[in-house]
Amino acid sequence: MVFAALFAASPAPAVGLRLPERASQSDRYYVTVRTALGEIESGNNVSARNKYSSASGKYQFVKGWDKFFKNNAGMRWSTSVPPRGASEHLKISMGVRQDMLFDTYYDLIISPWLSATRKSKTALSDAELVALAHRQGTAGADLYLKTGKDPYAGKNGNKHVAAHLRAMRRQMEFYNYLEQQTFMVKGKS
């Protein structure tokens, strides 16, 4: 398989953790994956703007997604990104809005693709698959899973897929570590 060499030195992803079929604020794994993706894309900065493209916000959607979000969530992505110098209150409310839009994207695009892709026996975790599909689009992710080809590498400031997937794995490991530390502190009190 294409991924054997890429992750040979990395620890295995969490086994058995599955993302839900629908976005859920009560599913800690889903919220953790969404937060990790936001961290990779923008440092979870709701005001982030990509200097190479029209990508913006926490999840770095380009303006081409506006029609999808308008038709499926009643609002455009580009109107959910606060202007430079916005108040903290506006940034917080726009962050919530961006999370809601991402949930719509997950429900309608990522989750169905993820369900179909799990059947292909890929070595990637659900979190890594979400990062791959978000970065490449589902068709590009399918191509990458089959051939290992990355048509976007190095273009418009894009990292190579392998670096993107390693970043997702590191974020998930970090969040898992934090959760274990929180559990240990709670267990001692």
Side-chain angles (χ1 to χ4, degrees):
M1 179 154 274
V2 175
F3 299 103
L6 293 176
F7 297 109
S10 300
V15 177
L17 288 177
R18 295 282 178 161
L19 285 165
E21 294 301 314
R22 298 201 47 87
S24 169
Q25 298 305 312
S26 63
D27 187 299
R28 282 195 342 220
Y29 186 55
Y30 171 75
V31 173
T32 300
V33 168
R34 187 181 67 189
T35 303
L37 186 61
E39 184 65 34
I40 292 166
E41 292 291 339
S42 69
N44 277 315
N45 179 353
V46 298
S47 302
R49 286 176 171 72
N50 187 305
K51 64 182 177 181
Y52 300 104
S53 70
S54 65
S56 62
K58 189 187 304 189
Y59 306 107
Q60 292 291 290
F61 283 101
V62 294
K63 285 191 179 181
W65 281 94
D66 273 357
K67 185 175 181 180
F68 168 83
F69 286 120
K70 180 73 173 158
N71 291 341
N72 293 289
M75 59 185 105
R76 296 187 331 260
W77 178 261
S78 58
T79 62
S80 74
V81 179
R84 287 179 175 83
S87 69
E88 286 306 307
H89 177 73
L90 182 61
K91 288 179 183 177
I92 290 167
S93 64
M94 290 297 167
V96 170
R97 188 175 183 177
Q98 288 179 20
D99 288 344
M100 290 170 38
L101 290 171
F102 184 87
D103 293 347
T104 299
Y105 162 76
Y106 175 83
D107 288 347
L108 299 178
I109 294 178
I110 299 295
S111 181
W113 176 83
L114 185 60
S115 294
T117 304
R118 281 182 188 136
K119 296 173 186 158
S120 69
K121 307 273 193 238
T122 178
L124 298 178
S125 68
D126 278 8
E128 291 163 323
L129 288 170
V130 169
L132 177 63
H134 182 64
R135 181 186 182 280
Q136 300 287 105
T138 55
D142 285 338
L143 175 70
Y144 186 76
L145 289 170
K146 287 182 179 118
T147 67
K149 292 183 180 173
D150 181 5
Y152 306 116
K155 295 179 183 171
N156 294 327
N158 276 319
K159 298 177 192 174
H160 288 272
V161 168
H164 199 69
L165 295 176
R166 280 191 302 272
M168 184 59 151
R169 179 171 281 180
R170 280 192 304 271
Q171 279 304 125
M172 293 303 293
E173 289 169 353
F174 174 69
Y175 290 131
N176 288 335
Y177 169 78
L178 288 179
E179 188 170 317
Q180 288 171 356
Q181 296 305 310
T182 302
F183 179 74
M184 287 172 60
V185 169
K186 284 182 181 176
K188 290 181 180 179
S189 25

